[in-house]
């Protein structure tokens, strides 16, 4: 006699599998940033290290944008779980706008660093700003994956693929988004306090 799974059991198993794969991916990303920050710590003993380097103000504003975007993504998921399509739409679009604003602010921050006379590459660069540049660009690259995921969620939301019984896509995307938020806060605090 065959034991067949119900649709709910099959969806739950699929959800657990996808979440486990996402966790493996996020752990791999953690290792990338652990390596970058470890190299930063080791390089601190170099004679050309900038001890008085101050993060640009655009990075502070972008941190606020990222934190708020995590909250709006959470609200989008909660609205979906309550079958509030209008609320979910609004919060998903706000999250997207804040994600894009974060990236724009990161590049504005790069401009502020250059305006202060520091360069990221070339003969006039130094190791401190080069590490900052690489870490931020790697974070932006991973966040672009989150934005693509968010765009797919928005598309599927408008195709009415999500409701209170089916939230897996939004949950996975939100998990990754919150993780990217955590990584940025870690990087920001690391660069802010570890000089």
């Amino acid at each position: 006699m065959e034991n067949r799974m119900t649709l709910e059991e099959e969806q739950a198993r699929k959800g657990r599998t996808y979440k486990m794969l996402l966790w493996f991916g996020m752990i791999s990303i953690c290792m990338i940033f652990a390596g970058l920050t470890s190299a930063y710590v080791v390089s601190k003993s170099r004679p050309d290290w900038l001890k008085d380097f101050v993060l640009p103000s655009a990075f502070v504003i972008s941190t606020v944008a990222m934190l708020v975007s995590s909250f709006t993504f959470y609200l989008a998921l909660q609205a979906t779980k309550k079958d509030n399509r209008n609320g979910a739409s609004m919060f998903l679009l706000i999250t997207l706008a804040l994600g894009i604003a974060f990236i724009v602010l990161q590049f504005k921050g790069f401009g502020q660093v250059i305006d202060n006379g520091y360069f990221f590459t070339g003969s006039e660069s130094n190791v401190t700003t080069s590490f900052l540049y690489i870490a931020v660009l790697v974070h932006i690259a991973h966040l672009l994956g989150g934005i693509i995921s968010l765009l797919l969620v928005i598309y599927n939301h408008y195709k009415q693929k999500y409701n209170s019984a089916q939230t897996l896509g939004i949950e996975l995307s939100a998990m990754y988004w919150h993780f990217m938020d955590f990584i940025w806060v870690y990087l920001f605090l690391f660069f802010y306090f570890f000089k």
Side-chain angles (χ1 to χ4, degrees):
M1 184 169 179
E2 272 186 45
N3 281 341
R4 293 195 174 199
M5 287 190 286
T6 65
L7 183 60
E8 292 81 20
E9 290 171 334
E10 188 176 335
Q11 285 180 340
R13 176 186 246 180
K14 182 177 166 185
R16 284 191 303 271
T17 302
Y18 286 154
K19 286 178 183 177
M20 185 177 67
L21 289 171
L22 181 58
W23 275 108
F24 283 134
M26 292 188 305
I27 290 168
S28 299
I29 293 169
C30 277
M31 297 307 289
I32 292 169
F33 287 103
L36 283 172
T37 52
S38 295
Y40 186 89
V41 170
V42 170
S43 297
K44 186 180 174 193
S45 61
R46 289 174 49 128
D48 60 345
W49 192 259
L50 295 175
K51 302 216 183 294
D52 59 346
F53 180 74
V54 177
L55 287 177
S57 60
F59 281 15
V60 175
I61 299 166
S62 70
T63 303
V64 172
M66 195 68 187
L67 289 169
V68 173
S69 75
S70 245
F71 182 65
T72 57
F73 213 147
Y74 167 79
L75 292 175
L77 178 58
Q78 295 309 308
T80 302
K81 287 180 177 179
K82 294 176 183 171
D83 287 322
N84 178 357
R85 288 191 45 74
N86 291 334
S89 297
M90 178 183 67
F91 290 124
L92 286 171
L93 292 174
I94 291 171
T95 303
L96 178 62
L98 288 167
I100 293 168
F102 173 84
I103 293 173
V104 169
L105 287 164
Q106 295 293 283
F107 284 102
K108 184 174 181 180
F110 289 156
Q112 289 175 342
V113 170
I114 292 169
D115 290 344
N116 288 333
Y118 301 112
F119 297 92
F120 302 110
T121 60
S123 60
E124 295 179 357
S125 68
N126 62 61
V127 68
T128 310
T129 55
S130 294
F131 266 111
L132 175 71
Y133 185 65
I134 289 168
V136 171
L137 283 181
V138 170
H139 182 264
I140 288 172
H142 286 95
L143 185 64
L144 285 173
I147 287 178
I148 291 168
S149 170
L150 178 56
L151 288 169
L152 288 171
V153 164
I154 291 170
Y155 174 78
N156 287 331
H157 171 71
Y158 282 106
K159 290 290 204 176
Q160 300 186 10
K161 292 187 177 183
Y162 302 123
N163 55 48
S164 58
Q166 170 55 333
T167 60
L168 180 62
I170 294 178
E171 286 180 42
L172 293 170
S173 188
M175 277 177 63
Y176 184 75
W177 195 268
H178 298 320
F179 172 71
M180 284 289 99
D181 185 5
F182 167 78
I183 291 289
W184 174 251
V185 170
Y186 161 73
L187 288 173
F188 178 80
L189 294 175
F190 179 82
F191 286 122
Y192 187 82
F193 288 110
F194 196 86
K195 297 179 181 180

